[in-house]
Each structure stands twice: as C-alpha cells, then as structure tokens.
C-alpha cells in the first residue's frame, strides 16, 4: 500500500512539463532533448554547441535566459531527479545509483543530493521505509 507521502513523491518525480520553444531557436529543443536523454553523461559546452550548431557562449546565454538556470545546473537537476526516482523504486546500492546517474563517486552524489533535498540519500531511503 502506497501512502500519501510516497504517492506525492512519485507524482513529483514523474511529472513531465510541456515546454514550448521559440520558433527562431529550434536548436534549444534539441539541446534540451540531449540533456534530458543523456543526463548521465558530463557534457562540455563545446561538445553540446557542436551538436546543436550554435556558439557555446550564445547557447549558454540563451539557455539561462529561457530556463533561468545554467546548462550545468540543469544537468545536475536531471541527475538528481533520476537518482531520487531510483532511490524510491530500486533496491540498488547508493554507490551504484550515483554512478548510473553520472556522478563521479558516492561522496559527490551525497553532497549534491543533500544540497538539493536537505537530507542524504541514505536518510531519504530511511524515510521511505
């Protein structure tokens, strides 16, 4: 039986937002799809800009103006969202989840997770029990 806390957490984790991109910047949608689908990779601005055929400085500026966060912050958010979902659903070790979601190691993951959620991944799992 799923209680209210678990149900609202799952809704928050799995919600998808429909974003409308400016018609004059079709590369923005492509960039977001890359970041969403390849969140476990650590993309450089240069590599991303080459894939969407836009100068890295312009790409970074427009992304921040449109989404209110930097590309790096967006990438971290996607990694944390995925990790939170995995912590909720899977019984995999925290270290393995950290690696699967593109963090350098478990320590890096713990620090980033705590900065976002104010609790460690281990404490999060304990709350779910």
């Amino acid at each position: 039986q799923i209680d209210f806390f678990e149900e609202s957490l799952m809704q928050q984790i799995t919600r998808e937002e429909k974003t409308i991109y400016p018609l004059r910047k079709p590369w923005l949608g492509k960039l977001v799809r890359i970041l969403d689908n390849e969140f476990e990779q650590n993309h450089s601005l240069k590599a991303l800009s080459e894939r969407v055929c836009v100068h890295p400085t312009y790409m970074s500026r427009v992304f921040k103006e449109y989404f209110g966060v930097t590309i790096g912050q967006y990438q971290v958010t996607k990694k944390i969202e995925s990790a939170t979902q995995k912590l909720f659903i899977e019984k995999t070790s925290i270290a393995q989840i950290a690696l699967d979601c593109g963090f350098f190691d478990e320590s890096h993951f713990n620090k980033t997770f705590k900065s976002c959620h104010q609790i460690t991944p281990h404490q999060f799992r304990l709350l779910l029990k």
Side-chain angles (χ1 to χ4, degrees):
Q1 182 179 9
I2 297 178
D3 67 6
F4 176 75
F5 172 74
E6 291 174 338
E7 185 176 333
S8 28
L9 182 61
M10 275 308 293
Q11 287 174 352
Q12 186 177 31
I13 290 171
T14 58
R15 75 176 167 180
E16 290 191 25
E17 297 176 6
K18 295 285 184 194
T19 305
I20 300 169
Y21 305 105
L23 292 176
R24 291 184 170 190
K25 296 176 181 66
W27 57 267
L28 194 55
K30 182 177 180 183
L31 176 60
V32 170
R33 283 190 300 279
I34 291 169
L35 295 172
D36 287 349
N37 295 327
E38 301 172 17
F39 64 87
E40 70 284 343
Q41 296 180 26
N42 294 305
H43 297 285
S44 70
L45 289 179
K46 183 177 185 233
L48 288 170
S49 69
E50 288 171 357
R51 288 179 69 181
V52 298
C53 303
V54 176
H55 191 277
T57 304
Y58 178 70
M59 178 184 71
S60 297
R61 184 172 48 88
V62 170
F63 190 93
K64 172 115 179 168
E65 287 172 3
Y66 198 76
F67 291 101
V69 295
T70 66
I71 292 171
Q73 291 167 327
Y74 187 88
Q75 289 181 88
V76 169
T77 299
K78 288 297 171 184
K79 289 178 184 190
I80 289 296
E81 286 175 1
S82 176
T84 303
Q85 187 174 14
K86 287 176 184 275
L87 286 166
F88 185 73
I89 295 170
E90 300 176 8
K91 300 297 180 203
T92 311
S93 73
I94 292 172
Q96 188 59 52
I97 289 173
L99 295 175
D100 291 348
C101 292
F103 290 93
F104 299 112
D105 55 31
E106 186 176 0
S107 174
H108 177 230
F109 171 56
N110 286 337
K111 182 179 176 184
T112 306
F113 190 92
K114 187 169 183 175
S115 72
C116 292
H117 294 300
Q118 287 70 52
I119 59 173
T120 66
H122 179 72
Q123 292 168 329
F124 179 79
R125 273 206 167 149
L126 290 176
L127 284 175
L128 296 176
K129 289 185 178 182

